[in-house]
């Protein structure tokens, strides 16, 4: 059995993430999905909580033919021990899938096989862009799976993001 590990912030979980998971699932028996920066929320960069992202992801991957384990992973800001931190939270995995140079290096330093994942129209499917569309009251829903749209609307996520941005602007802080 081959179990892979794929990490992202998923702010929000979008069709780029979904397409990556769909494609890599063909070569895996199971997938551990790490929700990075699980301790961050209610900011322009990280508006959604780990629980909200868990709902987005779990609902969206139901349609895929792979067993998934979704694990929130808090930031520890110590790269030298980050992989052992991840391993302490997750079911054992054989392969890490990432395109992030730092993540690749950290896993390679601990002798874990790393595969680069496919990239799907990165200019279109990018969390920063999707959040900016939400802030500017433009169409964003077509860029995320339907379960993500539902989860964001359930928690008033767009309104929250706009309020966070207004608050940051008011306080002279921009994240």
């Amino acid at each position: 059995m081959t179990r892979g590990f794929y990490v992202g912030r998923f702010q929000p979980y979008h069709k780029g993430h979904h397409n990556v998971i769909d494609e890599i699932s063909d070569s895996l028996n199971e997938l551990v999905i790490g929700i990075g920066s699980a301790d961050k929320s209610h900011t322009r960069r990280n508006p959604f909580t780990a629980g909200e992202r868990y709902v987005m992801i779990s609902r969206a991957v139901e349609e895929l033919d792979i067993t998934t384990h979704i694990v929130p992973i808090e930031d520890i800001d110590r790269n030298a021990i980050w992989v052992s931190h991840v391993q302490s939270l997750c079911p054992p995995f054989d392969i890490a899938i990432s395109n992030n140079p730092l993540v690749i290096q950290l896993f390679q330093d601990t002798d874990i096989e790393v595969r680069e994942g496919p990239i799907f129209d990165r200019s279109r499917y990018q969390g920063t862009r999707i959040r900016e569309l939400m802030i500017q009251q433009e169409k964003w829903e077509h860029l995320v799976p339907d379960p993500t749209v539902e989860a964001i609307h359930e928690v008033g996520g767009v309104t929250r993001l706009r309020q966070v941005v207004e608050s940051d602007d008011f306080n002279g802080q921009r994240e």
Side-chain angles (χ1 to χ4, degrees):
M1 179 174 81
T2 303
R3 183 180 295 138
F5 174 77
Y6 176 65
V7 67
R9 284 191 6 265
F10 308 112
Q11 291 280 12
Y13 180 81
H14 55 66
K15 288 183 179 177
H17 300 128
H18 198 67
N19 289 332
V20 168
I21 290 173
D22 187 30
E23 186 163 314
I24 65 176
S25 67
D26 292 341
S27 63
L28 303 170
N29 301 99
E30 294 184 5
L31 180 64
V32 179
I33 302 171
I35 300 175
S37 301
D39 53 321
K40 308 280 193 293
S41 69
H42 293 75
T43 67
R44 181 186 204 114
R45 181 168 158 74
N46 296 291
F48 306 107
T49 68
E52 291 163 351
R53 291 178 276 160
Y54 184 100
V55 170
M56 293 174 201
I57 297 164
S58 63
R59 289 180 183 173
V61 299
E62 283 178 0
E63 72 178 34
L64 303 178
D65 187 27
I66 188 166
T67 300
T68 57
H69 309 277
I70 304 170
V71 180
I73 300 172
E74 294 183 354
D75 288 343
I76 58 169
D77 297 320
R78 292 185 59 202
N79 291 337
I81 62 171
W82 182 77
V83 171
S84 61
H85 172 67
V86 168
Q87 289 174 314
S88 75
L89 298 169
C90 295
F93 53 87
D94 311 292
I95 299 163
I97 298 100
S98 182
N99 292 313
N100 180 302
L102 176 60
V103 171
I104 290 169
Q105 184 65 54
L106 294 175
F107 277 114
Q108 287 175 338
D109 287 350
T110 58
D111 296 324
I112 293 174
E113 179 184 345
V114 180
R115 294 182 188 165
E116 290 195 31
I119 297 177
F120 292 91
D121 199 354
R122 178 86 173 135
S123 62
R124 185 171 185 204
Y125 300 119
Q126 187 177 37
T128 302
R129 178 173 181 263
I130 294 167
R131 292 189 306 275
E132 287 305 314
L133 291 171
M134 290 175 178
I135 291 165
Q136 296 168 10
Q137 301 183 36
E138 295 181 26
K139 298 282 184 203
W140 57 272
E141 292 90 342
H142 63 286
L143 300 171
V144 302
D146 290 341
T148 298
V149 173
E150 294 164 9
I152 290 171
H153 286 312
E154 284 175 11
V155 299
V158 175
T159 300
R160 176 196 309 152
L161 177 56
R162 289 180 187 147
Q163 288 172 338
V164 164
V165 170
E166 287 175 17
S167 176
D168 287 349
D169 287 347
F170 179 75
N171 292 320
Q173 304 167 1
R174 304 246 344 153
E175 186 176 313

